[in-house]
Amino acid sequence: MSGFQEILVIVFIILVIFFLPRITARNSDIKPTRPIFVKQPFPLSGRMRLAIVITIAWPLVAFTLLKPWEGQWIKFLYLGIAPVAAAWSLYWVRRGFDRTGRRH
């Protein structure tokens, strides 16, 4: 039972860390000097978000299927890492040839 109590104490400490500044900020008259949510320098399109997710998912799936810890490192590098690196390299080169840097 002590493990459960320790988890509850950790959750309580995390909640206090996140919510205590909000509670004290409401009571004070001091306004923050910068906005809480800063606008992104460039908004991510749906295609870019998909590319980022695939960039993370592809090597993870290859890692679990190829099991490089069992001696399949070369196969993992060719099938897991190389396609992602090649895709981002092609994207980078294409953006370099694009006159404005953005496709419309």
Side-chain angles (χ1 to χ4, degrees), residues 54-97:
I54 290 173
T55 298
I56 294 168
W58 184 269
L60 287 176
V61 170
F63 189 79
T64 56
L65 294 177
L66 297 175
K67 300 176 184 171
W69 60 89
E70 292 179 353
Q72 301 283 340
W73 281 104
I74 300 298
K75 210 179 217 184
F76 172 68
L77 290 176
Y78 281 124
L79 298 175
I81 303 297
V84 172
W88 281 109
S89 298
L90 290 173
Y91 173 75
W92 180 63
V93 169
R94 191 189 77 195
R95 291 274 308 236
F97 280 112

Side-chain angles (χ1 to χ4, degrees), residues 2 5-6 13 26 28 40 47 66 73 76-77 89-90 93 100 102:
S2 66
Q5 291 174 345
E6 292 169 357
I13 291 172
R26 287 183 194 163
S28 69
Q40 289 182 342
R47 287 183 181 179
L66 297 175
W73 281 104
F76 172 68
L77 290 176
S89 298
L90 290 173
V93 169
T100 62
R102 293 181 182 219

Side-chain angles (χ1 to χ4, degrees), residues 15-78:
L15 289 175
V16 167
I17 289 172
F18 283 114
F19 288 115
L20 189 62
R22 291 182 184 186
I23 293 170
T24 57
R26 287 183 194 163
N27 295 336
S28 69
D29 293 333
I30 301 171
K31 300 288 183 193
T33 57
R34 64 183 179 106
I36 296 173
F37 296 104
V38 179
K39 188 177 178 182
Q40 289 182 342
F42 57 94
L44 294 175
S45 66
R47 287 183 181 179
M48 183 58 72
R49 292 172 194 248
L50 179 64
I52 292 170
V53 168
I54 290 173
T55 298
I56 294 168
W58 184 269
L60 287 176
V61 170
F63 189 79
T64 56
L65 294 177
L66 297 175
K67 300 176 184 171
W69 60 89
E70 292 179 353
Q72 301 283 340
W73 281 104
I74 300 298
K75 210 179 217 184
F76 172 68
L77 290 176
Y78 281 124

